[in-house]
Amino acid sequence: MERNGEKGFWLYDLRVETVVGGRHAVCRHVEGEFFRVVGENLVFDGPAQVSMYALVGVLPHLPARQRDTDPDDWMSTDAEIACADPHCGGRFRILREGRRWFSHAATTGLPDARGTPYWKDEQ
């Protein structure tokens, strides 16, 4: 995809909220705590914490959720991911927020295609 003659792609910013209900949470799930996914970064506001054991269940879904998907794809419609511990009732609700443009040159590892890394452009 191109924008202003530059090759790149769009990614959604995500808000990942902790949801507990119906079953007892075994891992550290505190209702309403959240973190954001901005580009490749997990951003925690305030005192929010997430169990690394619980996080392994949601991490593989985040890159896919950041991208455009077909409206009928389950990735577009199913917003909650269960904790990886089968005995835990905690879940993560993934919500799409704004979108950001990333240029290919600012995100690639290919030496012949590299530009200024996107995080250095933001400084």
Side-chain angles (χ1 to χ4, degrees):
M1 182 178 294
E2 286 193 30
R3 187 178 103 171
N4 300 328
E6 186 175 32
K7 291 184 179 185
F9 54 96
W10 289 96
L11 291 179
Y12 284 97
D13 290 345
L14 305 175
R15 178 183 170 106
V16 183
E17 299 177 350
T18 300
V19 179
V20 180
R23 291 179 51 209
H24 179 72
V26 177
C27 302
R28 186 187 182 282
H29 293 277
V30 177
E31 183 85 29
E33 283 193 344
F34 68 92
F35 63 91
R36 296 184 189 286
V37 180
V38 179
E40 65 181 285
N41 300 306
L42 302 181
V43 180
F44 292 85
D45 297 328
Q49 299 179 32
V50 176
S51 161
M52 68 177 177
Y53 303 110
L55 196 57
V56 300
V58 74
L59 281 177
H61 299 273
L62 299 179
R65 185 66 66 140
Q66 286 184 291
R67 288 163 169 73
D68 285 323
T69 51
D70 188 281
D72 294 319
D73 187 322
W74 74 269
M75 192 60 72
S76 299
T77 60
D78 299 9
E80 292 189 2
I81 304 296
C83 177
D85 185 328
H87 301 290
C88 185
R91 298 181 310 279
F92 292 101
R93 181 175 295 141
I94 305 170
L95 305 167
R96 287 178 169 166
E97 293 187 328
R99 285 180 11 149
R100 295 175 194 265
W101 172 260
F102 290 88
S103 79
H104 182 258
T107 56
T108 188
L110 299 173
D112 294 342
R114 278 189 205 138
T116 303
Y118 73 90
W119 66 89
K120 289 189 177 180
D121 275 348
E122 294 172 354
Q123 296 174 353

